[in-house]
């Protein structure tokens, strides 16, 4: 069964850094390849917001508040992607979710979520 497994959340002081990891496991190596890899975050009472995206070809985009501080990377061969978060602010505190979608498919796979807490 195809699923996404996240790791790397935790507690960090303001100004610190943290790296999140996501791995696509199961039968992702069969069928259509992954077309994009994303990170979202969500705080209580708010909608999930896009933090960063990287396509299979390597094109990236970032949410406005994280530009210049966060970096998304991916490894197409191992089906792993990462979110390097630098200069973290308390406002970055949220549950972070990885997501992925296969080329030519509408279904979106989601990770289980990992808590990131930035202390002031």
């Amino acid at each position: 069964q195809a699923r996404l497994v996240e790791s790397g959340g935790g507690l960090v002081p303001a100004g610190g850094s943290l790296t999140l990891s996501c791995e696509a496991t199961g039968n992702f190596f069969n069928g259509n390849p992954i077309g994009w890899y994303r990170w979202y975050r969500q705080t209580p009472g708010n909608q999930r917001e896009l933090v960063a995206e990287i396509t299979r070809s390597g094109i990236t985009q970032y949410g406005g508040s994280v530009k210049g501080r966060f970096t998304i990377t991916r490894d197409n061969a191992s089906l792993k992607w990462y979110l390097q978060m630098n200069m973290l602010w308390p406002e970055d505190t949220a549950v972070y979710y990885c997501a992925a979608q296969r080329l030519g498919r509408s279904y979106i796979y989601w990770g289980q979520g990992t808590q990131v807490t930035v202390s002031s």
Side-chain angles (χ1 to χ4, degrees), residues 25-47:
T25 65
N27 67 357
F28 270 105
F29 291 99
N30 300 319
N32 292 13
I34 294 176
W36 55 250
Y37 309 79
R38 290 178 180 170
W39 289 97
Y40 287 81
R41 66 186 182 188
Q42 188 172 25
T43 53
N46 294 307
Q47 289 189 331

Side-chain angles (χ1 to χ4, degrees), residues 13-103:
S17 299
L18 205 59
T19 300
L20 305 182
S21 302
C22 189
E23 181 178 9
T25 65
N27 67 357
F28 270 105
F29 291 99
N30 300 319
N32 292 13
I34 294 176
W36 55 250
Y37 309 79
R38 290 178 180 170
W39 289 97
Y40 287 81
R41 66 186 182 188
Q42 188 172 25
T43 53
N46 294 307
Q47 289 189 331
R48 206 167 286 190
E49 66 167 335
L50 178 65
V51 175
E53 174 188 289
I54 185 166
T55 66
R56 181 172 182 79
S57 60
I59 299 171
T60 59
Q61 63 171 322
Y62 295 92
S65 66
V66 308
K67 284 181 181 177
R69 301 187 297 124
F70 292 10
T71 303
I72 186 170
T73 57
R74 57 87 180 97
D75 182 333
N76 287 329
S78 65
L79 300 183
K80 295 181 181 178
W81 59 110
Y82 308 90
L83 186 67
Q84 174 67 43
M85 305 184 291
N86 298 325
M87 297 182 61
L88 283 160
W89 304 337
E91 294 76 20
D92 295 316
T93 295
V95 177
Y96 284 71
Y97 298 88
C98 62
Q101 187 181 52
R102 295 182 187 266
L103 287 172

